[in-house]
Structure formats: C-alpha cells, structure tokens
Amino acid sequence: MNPQPSGIRTVAVALRPWRRRVGAIVVLWVALTLFTGLIGLRPDVPRLAAILVASGALAWFAVDHLASQQVVVWPLTDTELSAGNRGNDYHVVGLATRLEGANARPEGRAELVHQLHTRLSEIIRERLFAKHGIVIEEEPRWAEGVMPRELWDFLVTIPPPDLYRPDRLDQILRRIEQW
C-alpha cells in the first residue's frame, strides 16, 4: 500500500520548478524588511510581502510568455514566397517550435502527427462543406466524387509518420489551398 504524501510534501513538489523564484521573493522580502527597520521606518510586513508576490508574479508571467513570442521565419520551399514571410502569431510560433522539436527528438512525434492530421482533416471537411455543402459522414460517396483524390486519401487513411516534415506538410497544404 502506497501512503499518501503529506500536504507539505505535495506543496514542495509543486513548487520545485519555482524554488529559485520563491527563494528570491523571500530573500528580497527579508532584506527590505530589515532595511526599512534599520533606517527607522516601521515596515508593514504583510503588505510588503503581498506587493513583492504580486510584482514577482506579474514580472514572471511577462517573462515566461514573452520569451515564446519570437518572430518565426518559415523557410518555404519556393523562393518567390519566402521573401519577407514572417509569422508572429503565438500559435504559429508554438507550431514552429513543435515541428522543429519533432525533427530533433522522436518523443512526441506521434502525438504531433495525430494533431496535424486531425486539424488538416477538419480544414478539408470545412472546405468541402463550404464549397459543396456536403458533410462527409452523411454523404461519403458524394464527398469522394467532388474531392481531389489526394485529399480523400488523406482523410480516410492513417496519417503518414513523417507528416511533421516541412516538405511533406507543404504538399498537403498546397493541395488544400489549390482545391
């Protein structure tokens, strides 16, 4: 039987990534309290702690979220489109980071391929409904008849394991755009 961890241990495990930050707040709080006491002021210790915690949380939120907001340059395969094409949407940055990571590390590739396949399938289904008013589940034969063969095969087959690669992704995206 595995005993339940104590409340203090649970908090310590949850704060492990934040140890330095929490430690910095505590050290700064103690230093400011001692300093204000030494210069003859009567520090409001709880209010000072609340101000430091709020300021630290706001600063760390900004640092954590702005660090992932880099401008991404997408290396496109055809040169006429690649000049000056920049993406600064955080969704684009996140996807670019995940695609780059998938090339470097195998863990998470299968999940990324599944998510890409799901999202691209949704886009194809939306296009099918917008262009022809067909819902694929209700009229699969009609859908197959009006869709390009590559897109139909993409929808009804298991996604290729290398869908995360830019050249492979570029092929399907271009076919969706041309349709």
Side-chain angles (χ1 to χ4, degrees):
M1 195 161 73
N2 196 1
Q4 292 290 340
S6 69
I8 294 173
R9 175 160 290 185
T10 305
V11 170
V13 168
L15 291 178
R16 188 173 294 147
W18 284 72
R19 264 191 294 195
R20 286 189 183 138
R21 292 178 175 185
V22 171
I25 288 285
V26 169
V27 168
L28 188 58
W29 174 68
V30 168
L32 283 174
T33 303
L34 289 175
F35 176 72
T36 54
L38 287 175
I39 62 171
L41 300 174
R42 293 175 33 184
D44 187 0
V45 178
R47 191 172 291 165
L48 183 61
I51 290 170
L52 285 175
V53 168
S55 300
L58 184 63
W60 290 319
F61 179 81
V63 167
D64 290 346
H65 287 80
L66 293 177
S68 66
Q69 297 298 320
Q70 332 164 11
V71 173
V72 174
V73 178
W74 289 86
L76 296 177
T77 52
D78 52 10
T79 55
E80 74 263 2
L81 292 177
S82 63
N85 234 353
R86 292 178 171 260
N88 58 1
D89 179 16
Y90 72 94
H91 293 292
V92 173
V93 172
L95 179 59
T97 305
R98 290 186 66 201
L99 289 171
E100 187 176 311
N103 278 326
R105 296 175 313 277
E107 58 271 358
R109 276 187 196 161
E111 180 186 348
L112 178 62
V113 166
H114 173 72
Q115 289 173 349
L116 283 171
H117 187 264
T118 301
R119 183 61 189 129
L120 291 173
S121 296
E122 290 171 2
I123 292 170
I124 293 170
R125 290 168 189 269
E126 289 170 3
R127 277 223 150 153
L128 177 66
F129 185 75
K131 287 180 91 163
H132 302 285
I134 297 174
V135 175
I136 199 167
E137 290 78 15
E138 294 175 4
E139 302 172 292
R141 287 187 182 169
W142 283 92
E144 183 179 6
V146 297
M147 289 178 66
R149 191 73 188 148
E150 301 90 9
L151 297 182
W152 177 257
D153 290 342
F154 183 81
L155 280 178
V156 297
T157 60
I158 297 173
D162 63 343
L163 183 61
Y164 66 92
R165 297 198 180 275
D167 55 335
R168 183 72 152 178
L169 198 53
D170 187 51
Q171 290 174 358
I172 189 69
L173 289 172
R174 285 185 188 280
R175 191 62 187 114
I176 292 171
E177 289 172 354
Q178 290 171 356
W179 179 43

